[in-house]
Amino acid sequence: MSRDGPILLTGYGPFAHHKVNGSWVVVQELNSIGVKHKDETVPLVIKEIPVVYDAVHEQVPKLWSEHKPRLCIHTGVSHYTELKIEQYARNSVYFPPDVNGKCPEKYECEAGGPIRHETTINVQLICDGANKRQNDVTVLVSQDAGNYLCEFIYYKSLHVGTSPTLFVHFPTIGKPYTSTQMAIGLKHIVETILDNEMDKM
């Protein structure tokens, strides 16, 4: 992890019955709240990504190249009732079509890529640390990112990125948490990562 560079945070755009994607709402709220490490404000770059496989292929490498983030966290919504941090992402099978009705070629993220990529971050440690910082939301480890755009972007970033990367799944807003509660929960996740990962350098 570089000590320089911003934190890159992405949320997804609308899909299916999610006319407003809660992940993007939460990311925008966190951008307003801010993130600190050792009492210093850390710059954030936020980006809304369309729920489109081709958009992920095009935009993710550009975001890494342009911003050279010290940390990257992608987010999305799920059926979970807790915040879930994903342990790894698989290269296939991405069969469900995106909002344009398309699937990736051969239903995989990267031709010839590893079966899966696993984050270098100690996910259980981050969950434990984030849960100790606050009581409004529960943060748990997950080992199934869903074989859709959420897992797809996670694999893509782990494949092309050069700094620690995570994917965080949020419940639907209001089921049970408000967007503000989840933004604060995400803040604690990010700050726990910064405290643990930066201290290794």
Side-chain angles (χ1 to χ4, degrees), residues 1-171:
M1 175 184 281
S2 171
R3 289 184 179 274
D4 301 319
I7 296 171
L8 174 62
L9 292 158
T10 74
Y12 267 122
F15 77 103
H17 63 280
H18 296 279
K19 303 306 180 185
V20 176
N21 196 308
S23 66
W24 179 233
V25 174
V26 172
V27 165
Q28 290 178 94
E29 286 207 33
L30 178 57
N31 190 48
S32 298
I33 295 169
V35 170
K36 289 189 175 183
H37 178 60
K38 297 187 184 302
D39 295 323
E40 293 187 5
T41 299
V42 180
L44 305 179
V45 171
I46 66 171
K47 178 73 174 178
E48 182 182 22
I49 307 290
V51 183
V52 176
Y53 292 111
D54 285 346
V56 171
H57 271 310
E58 177 185 351
Q59 295 185 27
V60 168
K62 288 181 179 179
L63 288 169
W64 277 99
S65 177
E66 179 180 354
H67 299 291
K68 297 177 175 56
R70 70 180 76 181
L71 171 67
C72 175
I73 297 186
H74 300 294
T75 69
V77 295
S78 73
H79 61 279
Y80 299 133
T81 55
E82 308 87 10
L83 276 65
K84 294 285 190 80
I85 302 180
E86 302 297 339
Q87 182 79 44
Y88 60 81
R90 296 160 290 194
N91 194 22
S92 63
V93 179
Y94 294 100
F95 181 75
D98 60 23
V99 296
N100 291 337
K102 296 182 178 180
C103 296
E105 187 174 352
K106 297 183 179 179
Y107 307 112
E108 63 184 4
C109 186
E110 292 288 339
I115 293 174
R116 75 180 195 181
H117 282 304
E118 186 165 347
T119 181
T120 59
I121 296 171
N122 185 327
V123 175
Q124 187 62 63
L125 181 68
I126 301 308
C127 287
D128 292 344
N131 287 325
K132 288 177 182 177
R133 289 172 184 244
Q134 46 79 44
N135 296 308
D136 283 347
V137 303
T138 300
V139 185
L140 300 175
V141 178
S142 171
Q143 296 184 343
D144 184 0
N147 278 121
Y148 192 44
L149 267 296
C150 290
E151 187 159 6
F152 191 83
I153 197 171
Y154 195 19
Y155 186 96
K156 185 71 176 183
S157 239
L158 289 169
H159 193 74
V160 303
T162 55
S163 295
T165 302
L166 277 186
F167 191 96
V168 179
H169 265 123
F170 301 121

